[in-house]
Amino acid sequence: QVQLVESGGGLVQAGGSLRLSCGASGRSLSRYYMGWFRQAPGKEREFVAAIRWSDSNTGYADSVKGRFTISRDNAKNMVYLQMNSLKPEDTAVYYCAVDRTSYSGSYYPTRGYEYDDWGQGTQVTVSS
């Protein structure tokens, strides 16, 4: 099992930026995918972005492409989500998660059930 702790959420005006962080501990992440999901009130959890630990292969939801960037720091066992040009519709609780299945090629997991371990979430609120 991997323990995950998110931080960096907060209140920001539309057009602003935030960087979310996720610290991982418990086991090696060497071939796993780390993902970010979000859930807004009254809505289902949705995929935001994913990154493969070994080679930084990344994938994004269409709604955040060009605005959000996922990255990782191997030495610190950290995953980040840089969020720029934020919109009110980005308001949600953001969760990081790890998928402990090894994938080859360019496939990246986008469905919640593919992920094994989850953090507690961090609130992001974007005001208009």
Side-chain angles (χ1 to χ4, degrees):
Q1 190 174 5
V2 178
Q3 290 77 46
L4 303 167
V5 179
E6 304 97 334
S7 61
L11 173 64
V12 64
Q13 288 189 332
S17 298
L18 278 176
R19 188 178 81 155
L20 305 183
S21 301
C22 176
S25 62
R27 58 191 296 172
S28 172
L29 301 173
S30 58
R31 291 188 293 178
Y32 300 157
Y33 266 97
M34 300 290 293
W36 285 97
F37 287 76
R38 66 187 182 185
Q39 188 166 20
K43 295 188 177 181
E44 292 188 355
R45 181 177 57 195
E46 64 173 353
F47 170 77
V48 175
I51 186 167
R52 185 160 54 201
W53 200 260
S54 59
D55 62 1
S56 290
N57 184 54
T58 57
Y60 295 90
D62 288 344
S63 59
V64 306
K65 277 181 183 175
R67 299 190 298 123
F68 291 12
T69 302
I70 189 171
S71 62
R72 57 99 165 110
D73 184 327
N74 283 6
K76 298 181 178 179
N77 256 22
M78 297 288 292
V79 175
Y80 304 100
L81 186 68
Q82 178 66 44
M83 306 186 295
N84 298 328
S85 302
L86 282 161
K87 305 175 182 179
E89 51 264 44
D90 294 318
T91 295
V93 178
Y94 283 71
Y95 299 90
C96 72
V98 60
D99 179 350
R100 290 187 270 114
T101 300
S102 297
Y103 300 99
S104 59
S106 60
Y107 175 81
Y108 55 93
T110 63
R111 290 161 287 195
Y113 65 79
E114 295 180 285
Y115 287 78
D116 301 289
D117 305 303
W118 294 80
Q120 82 289 349
T122 186
Q123 176 71 46
V124 172
T125 303
V126 184
S127 63
S128 57

